[in-house]
Amino acid sequence: MRISTILPITKWAKNYDKTWLRSDIIAGITVGAFIIPESIAYVYLANLPPEVGLYSAMVAVLVYVIFGTSRQLSIGPLSTLSILVGSTLGSLMIPGTAQYAMIASLVAVIAGLLAILSWVLRLGFMVKFISKPVLTGFLTGIALFITSGQISKLFGISGGSGTFFQRIYYFLTHIDQTNLPSLAIGVGGIIFLYLATKKFPKLPNTLFLVLGSIVLITVTNITSLGVKVVGHIPQGLPSLIIPDPALIDVNVLITLAATVFLISYMEGYLFAAEFATKNRYKIDKNQELLALGLSNIAVGLFQGLPVGGALSRTAINNDSGAKTQLAGGVSGLVILLVLLFLTGIFTNLPETILAAIVLFIIKGLVDIPHLRNIYNFNKIEFIIAIITLLSVLFFGALEGIVIGVILSVVGLIKKMYNPHIAILGKMPGKDQFLDIKRRPEAEIIPGILIVRVDGSQIFLNTEDIQNKILNMIDHEYKDIKLFVLDFEATSFIDHSGTQMLEELYDELKLRSIKFKAANMYGPLRDSLQKTKLEKEIVESNVSLTIEDCIELWEAENLD
C-alpha cells in the first residue's frame, strides 16, 4: 500500500494549485464560523459542556485534512450523534459530570477503533448496511426527539428528560413556568435565522446570531429576568486523556459505539460522495473508514465526543469555494484561535439561542417528501421507516436504529426466502421468453416448461423453490417432457442450492422429464463442478440460451 493511499495529503498537497489558496482560506474561515456555535449547541444535546464541542470540532477537522479523501466534507459534532450519546448515557444514571464526559470520549475511541478494524478488513461496503428508509425514519424520529428536549429550553423551562412523550408531557405540565424574556429571545433567533438564511444563505448567520445575542446580554441586565447563559468556557487546548473502559457496561459500550460508527460513516460517506460527484472527482470509501476512525480516536483522546460528516457545513464549504482539504485545515485553525484567545466572548451566550439554532437546523432532518416517495414505491419499506421513527420516540435513539436495522434485515431475508418464480413463454415471432403473467401474449411451448427464479438459490429458499417447481409439474404441467431452468436472474448459488438441483434432477428423471439449464454464466457453472450435474445440465463451456436448450432437446429426440 502506497504512502499516498494512506496519507492523501501527500498527494493533493504535492499537486496543489496556488490559485486555489484564496478560495480554500475563505471557505475555511466561513465554515469555521459556522462550526463554533453549532458545536456548542450540539454538545448540549449530549449534556456536555460547551468546550467539548470546540475540542471535538478542532481535532476532527485537523485529523481529517491529513487522512480524508473528500475535498469538501466538514467533519465534527453532529446533532444525531450527540443526541444518540446523550439519550443513551443519560439513561444510565452516571454519577458526576467528569465520569460522564469520560464515557462519551470512550465511545468516540471505540467507534474509531471499529472504523479502523473495518478499514483493515476492507469493509467499505458497509455504507449500505443501514437502508435509506431506516435512515429516513431514524432521522425524522431524532428530529422530533431533539425538538421535545429543546422546546423546553426555548421557553426557559428547566428540567425534563426521558423519551419523546415524557419530555412533551413535562413541557406541557410545566408550561406555566415559561420565562417570557427567554422565549422572546429564542423565537426572535429562529425568525432571524429563517430570514437571514433565505436572504443570505452563504453567510455565517448562526455566528451573527450568537454574537448579536451576546451583545444583547452584555449591554443589558436581562439575565436578572431569568435568562440563562452558557457561562464560563475554559480557555486553552484540551489535555490528553486515556478513557477507562471499566466505566460502562461493555455491552452498552459496544452497541452504542457500533451504532455511532455506522451512522457517522454512512452519513459522512453519502455526503462526501454527493459533493465528489458534483465536483467530478472520486473518493475512496475504505480510506474514509481510516479517516473517520483516526478522527474519532483523536477526538476521544482529547476530551471530545463522537464526530462525523455534517451535510449543512459540507454544503457551506462547497458553496464557499473549497477546492481541497486545506479548507478544513483553515477551519481547524479558526477554532484553535478561539480556544486560545476568544472563549470569554461566549460566556454571555443565552441558552435559548442555542435551542433556537438546534431547532432551526434539525428541521432539515425531517424529509417528508422522501417519506412520501418511499410510501409510493414500497409500502413495506414505508412501514419499516415509520416503525423506526416510532421506536426512536418510544424507546430512544439507540433502540430505534437497532430495531430499524433488524426490520430491514428481516425484510431482506423474507425476500430471499420467497423469491419470485416466473413461468416463461415465447413471444410470437421473436426469440424472447418472458413472464406469462406480465406478458399474456407470450406462448407456452407444448411439452416444455421454462421457469426463471428471480433471486439467488441459497439455503434459505431451496426447499421452497423445489416444492413450487414440483407442484407445477405435478398439477398444472403434467404433460411436459422438457424442463428448462433459466438462471438469468440468479446471481449466486450455495451448496444447499446445488443439492436442491441434484434432488430436482432426480425427481424429474423419475417422471421421465429432461432437465436443462439456460443462461448459466461462468461462476454458476463452476459451482456445479464436482457434482453429478456437471455432465447432465452443464452442457458445454459456453452458456446455453433457452433457445439452445430447446433445439438441443429436439435434436436428441430426433436421434
Side-chain angles (χ1 to χ4, degrees):
M1 188 174 294
R2 295 177 299 178
I3 294 296
S4 61
T5 302
I6 301 177
L7 297 171
I9 190 174
T10 60
K11 186 175 181 179
W12 64 259
K14 182 180 179 181
N15 301 315
Y16 192 83
D17 187 337
K18 293 180 181 179
T19 60
W20 298 339
L21 184 60
R22 183 176 180 274
S23 297
D24 278 342
I25 291 176
I26 292 174
I29 294 174
T30 303
V31 174
F34 274 93
I35 289 179
I36 293 167
E38 281 193 6
S39 297
I40 294 174
Y42 287 160
V43 295
Y44 263 68
L45 300 175
N47 302 311
L48 290 165
E51 65 269 19
V52 172
L54 298 179
Y55 296 160
S56 304
M58 179 191 69
V59 174
V61 294
L62 291 178
V63 173
Y64 186 84
V65 74
I66 299 172
F67 297 96
T69 60
S70 172
R71 302 171 190 172
Q72 285 80 33
L73 185 66
S74 177
I75 192 169
L78 300 177
S79 59
T80 49
L81 298 184
S82 295
I83 194 65
L84 186 60
V85 171
S87 61
T88 303
L89 299 187
S91 65
L92 300 180
M93 305 298 291
I94 298 169
T97 55
Q99 185 171 339
Y100 184 96
M102 181 79 76
I103 293 175
S105 296
L106 178 61
V107 172
V109 171
I110 300 302
L113 290 175
L114 291 174
I116 298 295
L117 177 61
S118 301
W119 170 72
V120 171
L121 299 176
R122 310 287 292 176
L123 299 181
F125 64 85
M126 282 194 305
V127 69
K128 303 297 184 183
F129 189 77
I130 300 177
S131 68
K132 190 65 176 178
V134 168
L135 180 62
T136 302
F138 173 74
L139 293 179
T140 303
I142 281 290
L144 295 174
F145 187 89
I146 293 172
T147 300
S148 68
Q150 294 301 303
I151 194 170
S152 294
K153 295 180 180 179
L154 185 74
F155 278 66
I157 301 173
S158 300
S161 60
T163 66
F164 168 81
F165 298 100
Q166 289 170 333
R167 291 167 182 247
I168 292 297
Y169 177 77
Y170 180 89
F171 168 71
L172 294 176
T173 55
H174 292 78
I175 198 169
D176 58 315
Q177 299 177 10
T178 297
N179 181 273
L180 292 178
S182 294
L183 179 60
I185 293 173
V187 172
I190 293 176
I191 294 173
F192 169 81
L193 287 175
Y194 175 77
L195 296 176
T197 303
K198 192 172 182 179
K199 188 72 174 177
F200 308 105
K202 295 184 179 182
L203 294 180
N205 298 305
T206 52
L207 182 63
F208 295 155
L209 174 62
V210 164
L211 295 177
S213 64
I214 290 172
V215 171
L216 175 66
I217 296 296
T218 303
V219 301
T220 65
N221 193 31
I222 201 169
T223 53
S224 62
L225 300 177
V227 176
K228 297 180 181 179
V229 295
V230 169
H232 174 67
I233 299 177
Q235 186 170 295
L237 301 179
S239 57
L240 181 68
I241 61 168
I242 305 296
D244 184 3
L247 293 173
I248 183 174
D249 178 76
V250 66
N251 293 323
V252 175
L253 173 62
I254 296 299
T255 303
L256 177 56
T259 307
V260 164
F261 156 58
L262 287 172
I263 292 174
S264 61
Y265 175 59
M266 187 181 69
E267 285 192 358
Y269 177 80
L270 291 176
F271 302 155
E274 179 180 347
F275 286 94
T277 300
K278 288 182 179 180
N279 292 282
R280 298 186 177 181
Y281 67 92
K282 299 289 185 181
I283 58 172
D284 186 332
K285 59 180 178 292
N286 284 302
Q287 179 64 21
E288 287 299 298
L289 284 169
L290 177 63
L292 177 68
L294 292 176
S295 296
N296 270 292
I297 291 173
V299 163
L301 294 177
F302 285 97
Q303 305 181 40
L305 81 166
V307 295
L311 177 58
S312 58
R313 295 195 300 268
T314 302
I316 292 167
N317 201 26
N318 180 74
D319 293 344
S320 300
K323 302 298 182 183
T324 69
Q325 291 90 323
L326 180 63
V330 174
S331 297
L333 293 177
V334 170
I335 303 169
L336 175 65
L337 291 174
V338 169
L339 281 169
L340 289 175
F341 307 110
L342 302 173
T343 55
I345 292 177
F346 298 95
T347 300
N348 287 331
L349 173 60
E351 288 188 0
T352 186
I353 287 296
L354 293 177
I357 293 172
V358 171
L359 289 171
F360 179 78
I361 291 173
I362 64 170
K363 72 181 189 303
L365 298 179
V366 181
D367 195 346
I368 299 300
H370 190 254
L371 282 172
R372 189 182 301 116
N373 290 339
I374 295 173
Y375 176 81
N376 293 331
F377 177 74
N378 188 300
K379 302 299 187 292
I380 298 298
E381 292 189 350
F382 176 77
I383 291 173
I384 290 175
I386 296 301
I387 292 177
T388 302
L389 186 161
L390 294 176
S391 297
V392 171
L393 299 185
F394 277 99
F395 308 115
L398 181 60
E399 293 82 356
I401 193 66
V402 171
I403 290 172
V405 170
I406 291 174
L407 288 174
S408 290
V409 173
V410 170
L412 179 62
I413 291 174
K414 184 178 183 299
K415 289 180 181 179
M416 296 172 66
Y417 176 77
N418 189 28
H420 176 251
I421 297 178
I423 298 174
L424 307 183
K426 191 174 188 300
M427 294 294 289
K430 299 179 181 179
D431 289 334
Q432 285 183 303
F433 293 84
L434 302 177
D435 186 346
I436 60 174
K437 288 186 176 180
R438 295 180 179 274
R439 301 297 294 269
E441 66 270 29
E443 301 172 350
I444 294 179
I445 301 174
I448 300 175
L449 176 60
I450 307 168
V451 168
R452 185 188 68 224
V453 178
D454 294 335
S456 297
Q457 297 170 37
I458 59 176
F459 67 96
L460 287 172
N461 58 29
T462 51
E463 183 179 358
D464 189 57
I465 292 172
Q466 181 179 350
N467 289 338
K468 285 183 178 180
I469 290 174
L470 290 177
N471 185 61
M472 290 180 198
I473 292 172
D474 290 338
H475 294 87
E476 301 171 67
Y477 302 94
K478 293 181 179 179
D479 300 327
I480 69 165
K481 299 299 181 183
L482 171 65
F483 173 77
V484 179
L485 186 57
D486 181 12
F487 285 87
E488 183 179 22
T490 300
S491 58
F492 176 73
I493 186 168
D494 66 2
H495 179 67
S496 297
T498 61
Q499 284 190 316
M500 181 273 288
L501 292 178
E502 289 180 341
E503 293 173 7
L504 182 60
Y505 174 83
D506 291 337
E507 290 290 337
L508 294 177
K509 191 173 183 180
L510 290 174
R511 293 165 174 78
S512 300
I513 299 173
K514 186 67 176 179
F515 182 2
K516 291 192 179 294
N519 298 315
M520 181 176 282
Y521 65 97
L524 286 179
R525 292 201 303 274
D526 294 342
S527 298
L528 294 179
Q529 300 295 329
K530 300 179 182 179
T531 71
K532 67 181 181 181
L533 298 178
E534 180 178 1
K535 295 181 180 180
E536 301 296 337
I537 68 173
V538 184
E539 301 282 355
S540 67
N541 292 326
V542 295
S543 178
L544 299 178
T545 65
I546 295 174
E547 194 72 34
D548 292 335
C549 291
I550 296 173
E551 291 177 357
L552 188 61
W553 172 71
E554 290 175 343
E556 291 171 352
N557 285 344
L558 288 176
D559 294 340

